[in-house]
Amino acid sequence: MAKILYSDYYLPSKKIQAERILRTATNFEIPTDCIDKNKYIDKFLKESRIEKITIEDNVDLIAIFSQLVAKLFDDKKIQPEQIKYLFYTSPRLSVVNKGISVPYYIIEKFKLTQASTMIISQSCCSTLRAIDIAKTYNDNDDSCYSLILSPSFYDDYEMRVTKINISGDGAGILLVGFDNDTDGFSIIGSTSSSDGSLSYSNYHNNDYSRTNLKKMTSDVKCFKSIFNKNNIELNDIKIIIPQSVNYSYLFAISRFVKVPIKKFFTNNISDGGHLGSVDLIRNFKDVTDLYTFSEGDYMATINWGNDDFGESFGSMLFRYSMV
């Protein structure tokens, strides 16, 4: 069974206060009945627990991923030709300098002669979807690996701010493969769904409205289905890895699924901001570094993403196995 064999991430050293971004960004939505904008921002920051946002002033994706991939090869001692699939989780950030493809550059630089590349377009669910596809390829083949590269970078404050989140900069890397000789987390399965209502409505010039409650309902439905599918109780899960988003949203989800919020890994919310699809990689690495796991322990993720075209939801189930 395929496992997550390696995870690592890059964060810029520069961090700025979330308050500064909210008071500067012109697109941060204030409720129409709100009289005092400053008080609303103070309330938002307190409830969301978002504090510092990572900022990369001069983004060089080639250099960032070259460093991450070089470290992977140093640590894992695998051969470049054993990488058969390279997944890249951001169409927006896949081409730099007016014509240089980041994933194709990495293939050539590291002589991944057997690798083919795929760009995944599932917004903040892209890493999860890449893992799911990699599992299909690598479940019973110990001769090759899948490499996942995930970037999250933004040009200005307006691009970082949504109604409930503030996005930071960062990048992550994962290695997926079949390995019975190493302790680690086997990928048991996943669930996913997508909502195309936005694109459908835009094509037909219909009004479109998507409330946080409707979004949360879709999140929870997808999340619960993975436990039903695998005959596992929510209480059997040691820890849940969500994205590093607004704490009040995660707290509401925890109430929705009747699981204590302490089972959700929320340590990174205050430090860095929401890193899109990189969140799964960062939080997975930090959880596996911070916690001690025993044979048979379960871990689950809950993921969602949206862009200007639609929404995606997904969850993944892992089980710790020892050799």
Side-chain angles (χ1 to χ4, degrees):
M1 184 174 291
K3 292 179 179 176
I4 304 293
L5 300 177
Y6 181 88
S7 59
D8 198 8
Y9 61 85
Y10 164 83
L11 293 182
S13 58
K14 179 180 178 180
K15 298 176 184 178
I16 65 174
Q17 294 296 321
E19 178 182 1
R20 174 181 166 187
I21 292 179
L22 293 185
R23 297 195 192 284
T24 304
T26 59
N27 64 326
F28 181 55
E29 294 187 24
I30 306 296
T32 55
D33 59 348
C34 178
I35 299 175
D36 192 323
K37 176 181 178 180
N38 289 328
K39 285 186 177 179
Y40 179 78
I41 290 176
D42 291 341
K43 180 175 181 289
F44 175 91
L45 292 171
K46 181 179 180 181
E47 293 179 350
S48 68
R49 301 192 181 183
I50 303 171
E51 297 178 10
K52 297 178 182 179
I53 307 300
T54 50
I55 304 290
E56 183 82 353
D57 286 329
N58 299 298
V59 180
D60 188 341
L61 288 169
I62 297 294
I64 290 169
F65 280 119
S66 292
Q67 182 179 22
L68 286 170
V69 174
K71 186 172 181 291
L72 161 70
F73 283 121
D74 285 343
D75 291 350
K76 293 301 294 182
K77 307 301 181 186
I78 64 173
Q79 299 304 310
E81 59 269 20
Q82 291 180 281
I83 304 292
K84 192 171 183 179
Y85 305 100
L86 191 156
F87 298 93
Y88 196 83
T89 68
S90 175
R92 178 176 66 86
L93 296 171
S94 63
V95 177
V96 298
N97 300 336
K98 299 181 180 180
I100 300 173
S101 164
V102 178
Y104 280 112
Y105 177 91
I106 294 298
I107 283 177
E108 178 60 26
K109 178 180 176 66
F110 291 94
K111 304 304 178 187
L112 311 182
T113 56
Q114 302 302 310
S116 60
T117 184
M118 285 176 258
I119 297 177
I120 308 296
S121 180
Q122 292 276 292
S123 56
C124 302
C125 277
S126 293
T127 294
L128 180 140
R129 192 57 49 237
I131 296 172
D132 193 27
I133 299 171
K135 169 183 166 58
T136 301
Y137 290 146
N138 296 116
D139 243 353
N140 297 297
D141 187 351
D142 61 0
S143 65
C144 64
Y145 301 93
S146 293
L147 180 63
I148 300 170
L149 306 180
S150 183
S152 171
F153 294 93
Y154 299 88
D155 295 329
D156 53 47
Y157 288 173
E158 277 69 24
M159 290 182 68
R160 298 179 185 278
V161 174
T162 67
K163 285 183 179 180
I164 64 171
N165 288 311
I166 308 174
S167 294
D169 293 340
I173 182 173
L174 277 178
L175 184 71
V176 177
F178 181 90
D179 187 349
N180 283 328
D181 299 321
T182 306
D183 295 353
F185 279 95
S186 299
I187 307 162
I188 303 303
S190 68
T191 58
S192 64
S193 66
S194 294
D195 187 321
S197 301
L198 176 56
S199 286
Y200 184 88
S201 297
N202 288 343
Y203 181 83
H204 293 285
N205 296 314
N206 297 334
D207 291 333
Y208 176 81
S209 176
R210 182 75 167 175
T211 65
N212 282 335
L213 179 59
K214 289 182 179 179
K215 179 180 177 181
M216 190 179 299
T217 301
S218 297
D219 293 343
V220 169
K221 180 180 179 181
C222 199
F223 181 61
K224 284 185 172 181
S225 66
I226 196 168
F227 301 103
N228 296 332
K229 182 179 178 181
N230 290 278
N231 297 314
I232 295 171
E233 299 293 328
L234 262 168
N235 290 332
D236 295 332
I237 304 301
K238 179 165 184 173
I239 191 164
I240 297 167
I241 299 180
Q243 290 156 237
S244 297
V245 298
N246 193 309
Y247 180 86
S248 61
Y249 187 82
L250 296 181
F251 184 78
I253 286 181
S254 75
R255 297 289 296 274
F256 216 136
V257 298
K258 299 179 180 179
V259 172
I261 187 64
K262 65 182 180 181
K263 269 203 173 185
F264 287 71
F265 182 75
T266 60
N267 299 30
N268 289 331
I269 293 175
S270 63
D271 186 24
H274 173 43
L275 303 182
S277 202
V278 181
D279 273 344
L280 192 156
I281 299 174
R282 182 192 183 193
N283 292 341
F284 180 91
K285 176 169 175 54
D286 287 353
V287 163
T288 52
D289 285 348
L290 288 170
Y291 290 78
T292 299
F293 293 92
S294 302
E295 177 74 34
D297 281 347
Y298 285 102
M299 179 167 63
T301 73
I302 179 168
N303 305 82
W304 59 90
N306 61 276
D307 52 26
D308 294 333
F309 311 106
E311 295 178 302
S312 297
F313 309 93
S315 292
M316 187 159 281
L317 185 65
F318 301 94
R319 185 176 62 228
Y320 191 75
S321 55
M322 303 175 69
V323 296

